[in-house]
PDB file of all heavy atoms in Angstrom:
ATOM      1  N   LYS W   1      -1.301 -22.135   3.373  1.00  0.00           N
ATOM      2  CA  LYS W   1      -1.258 -21.126   2.326  1.00  0.00           C
ATOM      3  C   LYS W   1      -2.006 -19.878   2.785  1.00  0.00           C
ATOM      4  O   LYS W   1      -3.122 -19.968   3.286  1.00  0.00           O
ATOM      5  CB  LYS W   1      -1.889 -21.686   1.052  1.00  0.00           C
ATOM      6  CG  LYS W   1      -1.583 -20.885  -0.177  1.00  0.00           C
ATOM      7  CD  LYS W   1      -2.037 -21.602  -1.412  1.00  0.00           C
ATOM      8  CE  LYS W   1      -1.567 -20.873  -2.645  1.00  0.00           C
ATOM      9  NZ  LYS W   1      -2.006 -21.533  -3.864  1.00  0.00           N
ATOM     10  N   LYS W   2      -1.360 -18.726   2.637  1.00  0.00           N
ATOM     11  CA  LYS W   2      -1.984 -17.475   3.051  1.00  0.00           C
ATOM     12  C   LYS W   2      -3.065 -17.093   2.045  1.00  0.00           C
ATOM     13  O   LYS W   2      -2.854 -17.205   0.835  1.00  0.00           O
ATOM     14  CB  LYS W   2      -0.942 -16.357   3.125  1.00  0.00           C
ATOM     15  CG  LYS W   2       0.049 -16.528   4.238  1.00  0.00           C
ATOM     16  CD  LYS W   2       0.980 -15.350   4.298  1.00  0.00           C
ATOM     17  CE  LYS W   2       1.992 -15.502   5.405  1.00  0.00           C
ATOM     18  NZ  LYS W   2       2.906 -14.370   5.468  1.00  0.00           N
ATOM     19  N   PRO W   3      -4.201 -16.633   2.534  1.00  0.00           N
ATOM     20  CA  PRO W   3      -5.246 -16.215   1.605  1.00  0.00           C
ATOM     21  C   PRO W   3      -4.822 -14.949   0.865  1.00  0.00           C
ATOM     22  O   PRO W   3      -4.099 -14.106   1.420  1.00  0.00           O
ATOM     23  CB  PRO W   3      -6.450 -15.948   2.505  1.00  0.00           C
ATOM     24  CG  PRO W   3      -5.867 -15.674   3.839  1.00  0.00           C
ATOM     25  CD  PRO W   3      -4.612 -16.484   3.917  1.00  0.00           C
ATOM     26  N   GLU W   4      -5.233 -14.824  -0.368  1.00  0.00           N
ATOM     27  CA  GLU W   4      -4.893 -13.660  -1.162  1.00  0.00           C
ATOM     28  C   GLU W   4      -5.734 -12.481  -0.677  1.00  0.00           C
ATOM     29  O   GLU W   4      -6.942 -12.590  -0.516  1.00  0.00           O
ATOM     30  CB  GLU W   4      -5.165 -13.930  -2.639  1.00  0.00           C
ATOM     31  CG  GLU W   4      -4.399 -13.007  -3.544  1.00  0.00           C
ATOM     32  CD  GLU W   4      -4.387 -13.498  -4.975  1.00  0.00           C
ATOM     33  OE1 GLU W   4      -4.131 -14.692  -5.182  1.00  0.00           O
ATOM     34  OE2 GLU W   4      -4.653 -12.678  -5.862  1.00  0.00           O
ATOM     35  N   VAL W   5      -5.075 -11.359  -0.410  1.00  0.00           N
ATOM     36  CA  VAL W   5      -5.746 -10.199   0.156  1.00  0.00           C
ATOM     37  C   VAL W   5      -5.968  -9.157  -0.928  1.00  0.00           C
ATOM     38  O   VAL W   5      -5.085  -8.884  -1.730  1.00  0.00           O
ATOM     39  CB  VAL W   5      -4.894  -9.601   1.296  1.00  0.00           C
ATOM     40  CG1 VAL W   5      -5.572  -8.387   1.898  1.00  0.00           C
ATOM     41  CG2 VAL W   5      -4.636 -10.644   2.359  1.00  0.00           C
ATOM     42  N   ASP W   6      -7.153  -8.571  -0.924  1.00  0.00           N
ATOM     43  CA  ASP W   6      -7.475  -7.514  -1.880  1.00  0.00           C
ATOM     44  C   ASP W   6      -6.987  -6.190  -1.304  1.00  0.00           C
ATOM     45  O   ASP W   6      -7.518  -5.711  -0.300  1.00  0.00           O
ATOM     46  CB  ASP W   6      -8.986  -7.473  -2.122  1.00  0.00           C
ATOM     47  CG  ASP W   6      -9.376  -6.422  -3.145  1.00  0.00           C
ATOM     48  OD1 ASP W   6      -8.500  -5.985  -3.926  1.00  0.00           O
ATOM     49  OD2 ASP W   6     -10.561  -6.043  -3.170  1.00  0.00           O
ATOM     50  N   ILE W   7      -5.959  -5.593  -1.936  1.00  0.00           N
ATOM     51  CA  ILE W   7      -5.400  -4.348  -1.398  1.00  0.00           C
ATOM     52  C   ILE W   7      -6.263  -3.142  -1.752  1.00  0.00           C
ATOM     53  O   ILE W   7      -5.986  -2.039  -1.300  1.00  0.00           O
ATOM     54  CB  ILE W   7      -3.954  -4.127  -1.881  1.00  0.00           C
ATOM     55  CG1 ILE W   7      -3.889  -3.998  -3.393  1.00  0.00           C
ATOM     56  CG2 ILE W   7      -3.052  -5.222  -1.376  1.00  0.00           C
ATOM     57  CD1 ILE W   7      -2.538  -3.561  -3.910  1.00  0.00           C
ATOM     58  N   LEU W   8      -7.304  -3.343  -2.557  1.00  0.00           N
ATOM     59  CA  LEU W   8      -8.200  -2.245  -2.901  1.00  0.00           C
ATOM     60  C   LEU W   8      -9.524  -2.322  -2.151  1.00  0.00           C
ATOM     61  O   LEU W   8     -10.450  -1.583  -2.458  1.00  0.00           O
ATOM     62  CB  LEU W   8      -8.457  -2.237  -4.415  1.00  0.00           C
ATOM     63  CG  LEU W   8      -7.213  -2.010  -5.274  1.00  0.00           C
ATOM     64  CD1 LEU W   8      -7.562  -2.125  -6.744  1.00  0.00           C
ATOM     65  CD2 LEU W   8      -6.595  -0.658  -4.988  1.00  0.00           C
ATOM     66  N   SER W   9      -9.604  -3.198  -1.164  1.00  0.00           N
ATOM     67  CA  SER W   9     -10.840  -3.319  -0.391  1.00  0.00           C
ATOM     68  C   SER W   9     -11.029  -2.076   0.481  1.00  0.00           C
ATOM     69  O   SER W   9     -10.073  -1.365   0.784  1.00  0.00           O
ATOM     70  CB  SER W   9     -10.789  -4.567   0.494  1.00  0.00           C
ATOM     71  OG  SER W   9      -9.828  -4.403   1.501  1.00  0.00           O
ATOM     72  N   PRO W  10     -12.258  -1.784   0.874  1.00  0.00           N
ATOM     73  CA  PRO W  10     -12.492  -0.603   1.711  1.00  0.00           C
ATOM     74  C   PRO W  10     -11.696  -0.611   3.023  1.00  0.00           C
ATOM     75  O   PRO W  10     -11.192   0.433   3.447  1.00  0.00           O
ATOM     76  CB  PRO W  10     -13.998  -0.670   1.999  1.00  0.00           C
ATOM     77  CG  PRO W  10     -14.567  -1.434   0.854  1.00  0.00           C
ATOM     78  CD  PRO W  10     -13.505  -2.423   0.478  1.00  0.00           C
ATOM     79  N   ALA W  11     -11.555  -1.764   3.644  1.00  0.00           N
ATOM     80  CA  ALA W  11     -10.788  -1.839   4.892  1.00  0.00           C
ATOM     81  C   ALA W  11      -9.315  -1.533   4.641  1.00  0.00           C
ATOM     82  O   ALA W  11      -8.671  -0.829   5.438  1.00  0.00           O
ATOM     83  CB  ALA W  11     -10.935  -3.226   5.510  1.00  0.00           C
ATOM     84  N   ALA W  12      -8.768  -2.048   3.540  1.00  0.00           N
ATOM     85  CA  ALA W  12      -7.359  -1.791   3.225  1.00  0.00           C
ATOM     86  C   ALA W  12      -7.142  -0.319   2.881  1.00  0.00           C
ATOM     87  O   ALA W  12      -6.120   0.263   3.237  1.00  0.00           O
ATOM     88  CB  ALA W  12      -6.923  -2.675   2.062  1.00  0.00           C
ATOM     89  N   MET W  13      -8.090   0.287   2.190  1.00  0.00           N
ATOM     90  CA  MET W  13      -7.976   1.701   1.841  1.00  0.00           C
ATOM     91  C   MET W  13      -8.042   2.587   3.087  1.00  0.00           C
ATOM     92  O   MET W  13      -7.331   3.584   3.185  1.00  0.00           O
ATOM     93  CB  MET W  13      -9.084   2.114   0.864  1.00  0.00           C
ATOM     94  CG  MET W  13      -8.850   1.612  -0.519  1.00  0.00           C
ATOM     95  SD  MET W  13      -7.387   2.413  -1.180  1.00  0.00           S
ATOM     96  CE  MET W  13      -6.941   1.272  -2.437  1.00  0.00           C
ATOM     97  N   LEU W  14      -8.886   2.223   4.030  1.00  0.00           N
ATOM     98  CA  LEU W  14      -8.983   2.987   5.267  1.00  0.00           C
ATOM     99  C   LEU W  14      -7.675   2.904   6.052  1.00  0.00           C
ATOM    100  O   LEU W  14      -7.180   3.912   6.565  1.00  0.00           O
ATOM    101  CB  LEU W  14     -10.146   2.469   6.116  1.00  0.00           C
ATOM    102  CG  LEU W  14     -10.412   3.221   7.407  1.00  0.00           C
ATOM    103  CD1 LEU W  14     -10.806   4.661   7.109  1.00  0.00           C
ATOM    104  CD2 LEU W  14     -11.501   2.533   8.197  1.00  0.00           C
ATOM    105  N   ASN W  15      -7.099   1.723   6.107  1.00  0.00           N
ATOM    106  CA  ASN W  15      -5.817   1.555   6.783  1.00  0.00           C
ATOM    107  C   ASN W  15      -4.732   2.361   6.078  1.00  0.00           C
ATOM    108  O   ASN W  15      -3.920   3.022   6.718  1.00  0.00           O
ATOM    109  CB  ASN W  15      -5.448   0.069   6.808  1.00  0.00           C
ATOM    110  CG  ASN W  15      -4.173  -0.187   7.552  1.00  0.00           C
ATOM    111  OD1 ASN W  15      -3.885   0.457   8.535  1.00  0.00           O
ATOM    112  ND2 ASN W  15      -3.398  -1.126   7.061  1.00  0.00           N
ATOM    113  N   LEU W  16      -4.732   2.331   4.769  1.00  0.00           N
ATOM    114  CA  LEU W  16      -3.723   3.043   3.986  1.00  0.00           C
ATOM    115  C   LEU W  16      -3.841   4.551   4.176  1.00  0.00           C
ATOM    116  O   LEU W  16      -2.849   5.267   4.171  1.00  0.00           O
ATOM    117  CB  LEU W  16      -3.871   2.678   2.511  1.00  0.00           C
ATOM    118  CG  LEU W  16      -2.785   3.159   1.575  1.00  0.00           C
ATOM    119  CD1 LEU W  16      -1.445   2.559   1.974  1.00  0.00           C
ATOM    120  CD2 LEU W  16      -3.117   2.791   0.157  1.00  0.00           C
ATOM    121  N   GLN W  17      -5.063   5.023   4.373  1.00  0.00           N
ATOM    122  CA  GLN W  17      -5.292   6.450   4.584  1.00  0.00           C
ATOM    123  C   GLN W  17      -4.563   6.925   5.846  1.00  0.00           C
ATOM    124  O   GLN W  17      -4.069   8.041   5.896  1.00  0.00           O
ATOM    125  CB  GLN W  17      -6.790   6.703   4.719  1.00  0.00           C
ATOM    126  CG  GLN W  17      -7.174   8.155   4.864  1.00  0.00           C
ATOM    127  CD  GLN W  17      -8.680   8.324   4.950  1.00  0.00           C
ATOM    128  OE1 GLN W  17      -9.424   7.360   4.929  1.00  0.00           O
ATOM    129  NE2 GLN W  17      -9.109   9.554   5.053  1.00  0.00           N
ATOM    130  N   TYR W  18      -4.476   6.063   6.848  1.00  0.00           N
ATOM    131  CA  TYR W  18      -3.820   6.438   8.097  1.00  0.00           C
ATOM    132  C   TYR W  18      -2.303   6.297   8.053  1.00  0.00           C
ATOM    133  O   TYR W  18      -1.597   7.014   8.767  1.00  0.00           O
ATOM    134  CB  TYR W  18      -4.362   5.586   9.251  1.00  0.00           C
ATOM    135  CG  TYR W  18      -5.778   5.918   9.608  1.00  0.00           C
ATOM    136  CD1 TYR W  18      -6.786   4.982   9.425  1.00  0.00           C
ATOM    137  CD2 TYR W  18      -6.114   7.156  10.120  1.00  0.00           C
ATOM    138  CE1 TYR W  18      -8.095   5.284   9.751  1.00  0.00           C
ATOM    139  CE2 TYR W  18      -7.421   7.476  10.443  1.00  0.00           C
ATOM    140  CZ  TYR W  18      -8.408   6.531  10.264  1.00  0.00           C
ATOM    141  OH  TYR W  18      -9.701   6.837  10.575  1.00  0.00           O
ATOM    142  N   ILE W  19      -1.772   5.374   7.233  1.00  0.00           N
ATOM    143  CA  ILE W  19      -0.332   5.135   7.273  1.00  0.00           C
ATOM    144  C   ILE W  19       0.460   5.793   6.150  1.00  0.00           C
ATOM    145  O   ILE W  19       1.655   6.003   6.291  1.00  0.00           O
ATOM    146  CB  ILE W  19      -0.022   3.613   7.295  1.00  0.00           C
ATOM    147  CG1 ILE W  19      -0.495   2.929   6.023  1.00  0.00           C
ATOM    148  CG2 ILE W  19      -0.607   2.969   8.517  1.00  0.00           C
ATOM    149  CD1 ILE W  19      -0.070   1.484   5.918  1.00  0.00           C
ATOM    150  N   ALA W  20      -0.181   6.139   5.028  1.00  0.00           N
ATOM    151  CA  ALA W  20       0.548   6.715   3.896  1.00  0.00           C
ATOM    152  C   ALA W  20       0.483   8.241   3.938  1.00  0.00           C
ATOM    153  O   ALA W  20      -0.514   8.830   4.360  1.00  0.00           O
ATOM    154  CB  ALA W  20      -0.028   6.215   2.581  1.00  0.00           C
ATOM    155  N   HIS W  21       1.558   8.887   3.505  1.00  0.00           N
ATOM    156  CA  HIS W  21       1.629  10.344   3.518  1.00  0.00           C
ATOM    157  C   HIS W  21       1.161  10.962   2.206  1.00  0.00           C
ATOM    158  O   HIS W  21       0.636  12.071   2.196  1.00  0.00           O
ATOM    159  CB  HIS W  21       3.062  10.793   3.812  1.00  0.00           C
ATOM    160  CG  HIS W  21       3.558  10.302   5.125  1.00  0.00           C
ATOM    161  ND1 HIS W  21       3.097  10.779   6.326  1.00  0.00           N
ATOM    162  CD2 HIS W  21       4.467   9.349   5.444  1.00  0.00           C
ATOM    163  CE1 HIS W  21       3.697  10.154   7.320  1.00  0.00           C
ATOM    164  NE2 HIS W  21       4.540   9.274   6.816  1.00  0.00           N
ATOM    165  N   ASN W  22       1.386  10.271   1.095  1.00  0.00           N
ATOM    166  CA  ASN W  22       0.970  10.782  -0.208  1.00  0.00           C
ATOM    167  C   ASN W  22       0.808   9.597  -1.168  1.00  0.00           C
ATOM    168  O   ASN W  22       0.963   8.439  -0.767  1.00  0.00           O
ATOM    169  CB  ASN W  22       1.978  11.804  -0.742  1.00  0.00           C
ATOM    170  CG  ASN W  22       3.381  11.282  -0.744  1.00  0.00           C
ATOM    171  OD1 ASN W  22       3.601  10.084  -0.933  1.00  0.00           O
ATOM    172  ND2 ASN W  22       4.355  12.160  -0.526  1.00  0.00           N
ATOM    173  N   ALA W  23       0.512   9.877  -2.418  1.00  0.00           N
ATOM    174  CA  ALA W  23       0.247   8.811  -3.391  1.00  0.00           C
ATOM    175  C   ALA W  23       1.489   7.945  -3.634  1.00  0.00           C
ATOM    176  O   ALA W  23       1.387   6.720  -3.737  1.00  0.00           O
ATOM    177  CB  ALA W  23      -0.243   9.402  -4.699  1.00  0.00           C
ATOM    178  N   ALA W  24       2.663   8.574  -3.715  1.00  0.00           N
ATOM    179  CA  ALA W  24       3.895   7.809  -3.948  1.00  0.00           C
ATOM    180  C   ALA W  24       4.181   6.880  -2.762  1.00  0.00           C
ATOM    181  O   ALA W  24       4.584   5.733  -2.953  1.00  0.00           O
ATOM    182  CB  ALA W  24       5.064   8.759  -4.171  1.00  0.00           C
ATOM    183  N   HIS W  25       3.954   7.365  -1.566  1.00  0.00           N
ATOM    184  CA  HIS W  25       4.168   6.540  -0.373  1.00  0.00           C
ATOM    185  C   HIS W  25       3.159   5.400  -0.335  1.00  0.00           C
ATOM    186  O   HIS W  25       3.475   4.286   0.076  1.00  0.00           O
ATOM    187  CB  HIS W  25       4.057   7.415   0.871  1.00  0.00           C
ATOM    188  CG  HIS W  25       4.533   6.755   2.115  1.00  0.00           C
ATOM    189  ND1 HIS W  25       4.034   7.069   3.346  1.00  0.00           N
ATOM    190  CD2 HIS W  25       5.464   5.795   2.339  1.00  0.00           C
ATOM    191  CE1 HIS W  25       4.624   6.328   4.270  1.00  0.00           C
ATOM    192  NE2 HIS W  25       5.498   5.555   3.673  1.00  0.00           N
ATOM    193  N   CYS W  26       1.943   5.663  -0.770  1.00  0.00           N
ATOM    194  CA  CYS W  26       0.904   4.628  -0.849  1.00  0.00           C
ATOM    195  C   CYS W  26       1.351   3.485  -1.757  1.00  0.00           C
ATOM    196  O   CYS W  26       1.271   2.317  -1.391  1.00  0.00           O
ATOM    197  CB  CYS W  26      -0.382   5.256  -1.374  1.00  0.00           C
ATOM    198  SG  CYS W  26      -1.596   4.089  -1.976  1.00  0.00           S
ATOM    199  N   LEU W  27       1.838   3.823  -2.942  1.00  0.00           N
ATOM    200  CA  LEU W  27       2.294   2.803  -3.882  1.00  0.00           C
ATOM    201  C   LEU W  27       3.510   2.051  -3.336  1.00  0.00           C
ATOM    202  O   LEU W  27       3.619   0.837  -3.498  1.00  0.00           O
ATOM    203  CB  LEU W  27       2.633   3.435  -5.232  1.00  0.00           C
ATOM    204  CG  LEU W  27       1.431   3.980  -6.004  1.00  0.00           C
ATOM    205  CD1 LEU W  27       1.913   4.779  -7.204  1.00  0.00           C
ATOM    206  CD2 LEU W  27       0.527   2.854  -6.433  1.00  0.00           C
ATOM    207  N   TYR W  28       4.401   2.773  -2.673  1.00  0.00           N
ATOM    208  CA  TYR W  28       5.590   2.156  -2.099  1.00  0.00           C
ATOM    209  C   TYR W  28       5.208   1.127  -1.040  1.00  0.00           C
ATOM    210  O   TYR W  28       5.742   0.024  -1.007  1.00  0.00           O
ATOM    211  CB  TYR W  28       6.494   3.229  -1.500  1.00  0.00           C
ATOM    212  CG  TYR W  28       7.787   2.700  -0.947  1.00  0.00           C
ATOM    213  CD1 TYR W  28       8.878   2.491  -1.776  1.00  0.00           C
ATOM    214  CD2 TYR W  28       7.909   2.397   0.404  1.00  0.00           C
ATOM    215  CE1 TYR W  28      10.069   1.995  -1.272  1.00  0.00           C
ATOM    216  CE2 TYR W  28       9.100   1.902   0.916  1.00  0.00           C
ATOM    217  CZ  TYR W  28      10.173   1.710   0.075  1.00  0.00           C
ATOM    218  OH  TYR W  28      11.335   1.210   0.579  1.00  0.00           O
ATOM    219  N   LEU W  29       4.254   1.466  -0.186  1.00  0.00           N
ATOM    220  CA  LEU W  29       3.829   0.563   0.874  1.00  0.00           C
ATOM    221  C   LEU W  29       3.122  -0.670   0.327  1.00  0.00           C
ATOM    222  O   LEU W  29       3.164  -1.736   0.947  1.00  0.00           O
ATOM    223  CB  LEU W  29       2.902   1.288   1.853  1.00  0.00           C
ATOM    224  CG  LEU W  29       3.558   2.363   2.709  1.00  0.00           C
ATOM    225  CD1 LEU W  29       2.506   3.132   3.487  1.00  0.00           C
ATOM    226  CD2 LEU W  29       4.571   1.754   3.646  1.00  0.00           C
ATOM    227  N   ARG W  30       2.480  -0.545  -0.803  1.00  0.00           N
ATOM    228  CA  ARG W  30       1.753  -1.665  -1.399  1.00  0.00           C
ATOM    229  C   ARG W  30       2.632  -2.531  -2.293  1.00  0.00           C
ATOM    230  O   ARG W  30       2.167  -3.491  -2.890  1.00  0.00           O
ATOM    231  CB  ARG W  30       0.546  -1.163  -2.190  1.00  0.00           C
ATOM    232  CG  ARG W  30      -0.542  -0.597  -1.299  1.00  0.00           C
ATOM    233  CD  ARG W  30      -1.080  -1.675  -0.395  1.00  0.00           C
ATOM    234  NE  ARG W  30      -2.118  -1.169   0.477  1.00  0.00           N
ATOM    235  CZ  ARG W  30      -2.096  -1.270   1.794  1.00  0.00           C
ATOM    236  NH1 ARG W  30      -1.073  -1.821   2.377  1.00  0.00           N
ATOM    237  NH2 ARG W  30      -3.072  -0.812   2.525  1.00  0.00           N
ATOM    238  N   GLY W  31       3.928  -2.187  -2.404  1.00  0.00           N
ATOM    239  CA  GLY W  31       4.848  -3.043  -3.134  1.00  0.00           C
ATOM    240  C   GLY W  31       5.156  -2.600  -4.549  1.00  0.00           C
ATOM    241  O   GLY W  31       5.882  -3.282  -5.266  1.00  0.00           O
ATOM    242  N   PHE W  32       4.630  -1.456  -4.967  1.00  0.00           N
ATOM    243  CA  PHE W  32       4.902  -0.952  -6.313  1.00  0.00           C
ATOM    244  C   PHE W  32       6.050   0.043  -6.214  1.00  0.00           C
ATOM    245  O   PHE W  32       5.861   1.243  -6.195  1.00  0.00           O
ATOM    246  CB  PHE W  32       3.653  -0.293  -6.902  1.00  0.00           C
ATOM    247  CG  PHE W  32       2.504  -1.232  -7.058  1.00  0.00           C
ATOM    248  CD1 PHE W  32       1.480  -1.254  -6.114  1.00  0.00           C
ATOM    249  CD2 PHE W  32       2.449  -2.109  -8.119  1.00  0.00           C
ATOM    250  CE1 PHE W  32       0.422  -2.124  -6.248  1.00  0.00           C
ATOM    251  CE2 PHE W  32       1.394  -2.994  -8.257  1.00  0.00           C
ATOM    252  CZ  PHE W  32       0.386  -2.996  -7.318  1.00  0.00           C
ATOM    253  N   ARG W  33       7.273  -0.500  -6.141  1.00  0.00           N
ATOM    254  CA  ARG W  33       8.443   0.354  -5.989  1.00  0.00           C
ATOM    255  C   ARG W  33       9.018   0.712  -7.350  1.00  0.00           C
ATOM    256  O   ARG W  33       8.912  -0.049  -8.295  1.00  0.00           O
ATOM    257  CB  ARG W  33       9.475  -0.353  -5.119  1.00  0.00           C
ATOM    258  CG  ARG W  33       8.989  -0.480  -3.689  1.00  0.00           C
ATOM    259  CD  ARG W  33       9.877  -1.397  -2.868  1.00  0.00           C
ATOM    260  NE  ARG W  33       9.485  -1.444  -1.488  1.00  0.00           N
ATOM    261  CZ  ARG W  33       8.503  -2.211  -1.009  1.00  0.00           C
ATOM    262  NH1 ARG W  33       7.829  -2.993  -1.804  1.00  0.00           N
ATOM    263  NH2 ARG W  33       8.200  -2.185   0.275  1.00  0.00           N
ATOM    264  N   TRP W  34       9.643   1.861  -7.441  1.00  0.00           N
ATOM    265  CA  TRP W  34      10.254   2.303  -8.680  1.00  0.00           C
ATOM    266  C   TRP W  34      11.743   1.980  -8.638  1.00  0.00           C
ATOM    267  O   TRP W  34      12.307   1.754  -7.564  1.00  0.00           O
ATOM    268  CB  TRP W  34      10.001   3.796  -8.892  1.00  0.00           C
ATOM    269  CG  TRP W  34      10.354   4.646  -7.725  1.00  0.00           C
ATOM    270  CD1 TRP W  34      11.522   5.311  -7.527  1.00  0.00           C
ATOM    271  CD2 TRP W  34       9.542   4.907  -6.572  1.00  0.00           C
ATOM    272  NE1 TRP W  34      11.499   5.963  -6.325  1.00  0.00           N
ATOM    273  CE2 TRP W  34      10.291   5.742  -5.715  1.00  0.00           C
ATOM    274  CE3 TRP W  34       8.276   4.528  -6.172  1.00  0.00           C
ATOM    275  CZ2 TRP W  34       9.808   6.187  -4.506  1.00  0.00           C
ATOM    276  CZ3 TRP W  34       7.794   4.984  -4.965  1.00  0.00           C
ATOM    277  CH2 TRP W  34       8.549   5.800  -4.146  1.00  0.00           C
ATOM    278  N   PRO W  35      12.415   1.949  -9.791  1.00  0.00           N
ATOM    279  CA  PRO W  35      13.811   1.506  -9.849  1.00  0.00           C
ATOM    280  C   PRO W  35      14.774   2.318  -8.984  1.00  0.00           C
ATOM    281  O   PRO W  35      15.700   1.774  -8.420  1.00  0.00           O
ATOM    282  CB  PRO W  35      14.178   1.654 -11.321  1.00  0.00           C
ATOM    283  CG  PRO W  35      12.896   1.612 -12.048  1.00  0.00           C
ATOM    284  CD  PRO W  35      11.870   2.194 -11.125  1.00  0.00           C
ATOM    285  N   GLY W  36      14.572   3.616  -8.835  1.00  0.00           N
ATOM    286  CA  GLY W  36      15.509   4.439  -8.076  1.00  0.00           C
ATOM    287  C   GLY W  36      15.165   4.567  -6.608  1.00  0.00           C
ATOM    288  O   GLY W  36      15.782   5.360  -5.900  1.00  0.00           O
ATOM    289  N   ALA W  37      14.209   3.798  -6.118  1.00  0.00           N
ATOM    290  CA  ALA W  37      13.792   3.909  -4.718  1.00  0.00           C
ATOM    291  C   ALA W  37      14.890   3.417  -3.793  1.00  0.00           C
ATOM    292  O   ALA W  37      15.564   2.439  -4.089  1.00  0.00           O
ATOM    293  CB  ALA W  37      12.516   3.109  -4.480  1.00  0.00           C
ATOM    294  N   THR W  38      15.046   4.099  -2.678  1.00  0.00           N
ATOM    295  CA  THR W  38      16.034   3.668  -1.706  1.00  0.00           C
ATOM    296  C   THR W  38      15.477   2.482  -0.931  1.00  0.00           C
ATOM    297  O   THR W  38      14.319   2.474  -0.537  1.00  0.00           O
ATOM    298  CB  THR W  38      16.375   4.804  -0.725  1.00  0.00           C
ATOM    299  OG1 THR W  38      15.175   5.226  -0.094  1.00  0.00           O
ATOM    300  CG2 THR W  38      16.999   5.972  -1.446  1.00  0.00           C
TER     301      THR W  38
END
């Protein structure tokens, strides 16, 4: 069983800072997609 990961941890936020372009992209990468997303 995979351990549950905290996506709001400081390490995860630092990683997200490097890979996401804006707030919408941040949410998209973390799995919070909206209905009209491609």
Side-chain angles (χ1 to χ4, degrees):
K1 195 171 187 181
K2 291 184 180 180
E4 201 165 314
V5 180
D6 182 19
I7 62 171
L8 298 176
S9 68
M13 285 294 158
L14 183 63
N15 183 36
L16 189 61
Q17 183 178 2
Y18 290 115
I19 64 173
H21 300 289
N22 52 32
H25 192 209
C26 163
L27 292 171
Y28 183 84
L29 291 172
R30 291 297 180 235
F32 298 100
R33 292 170 176 82
W34 51 95
T38 57

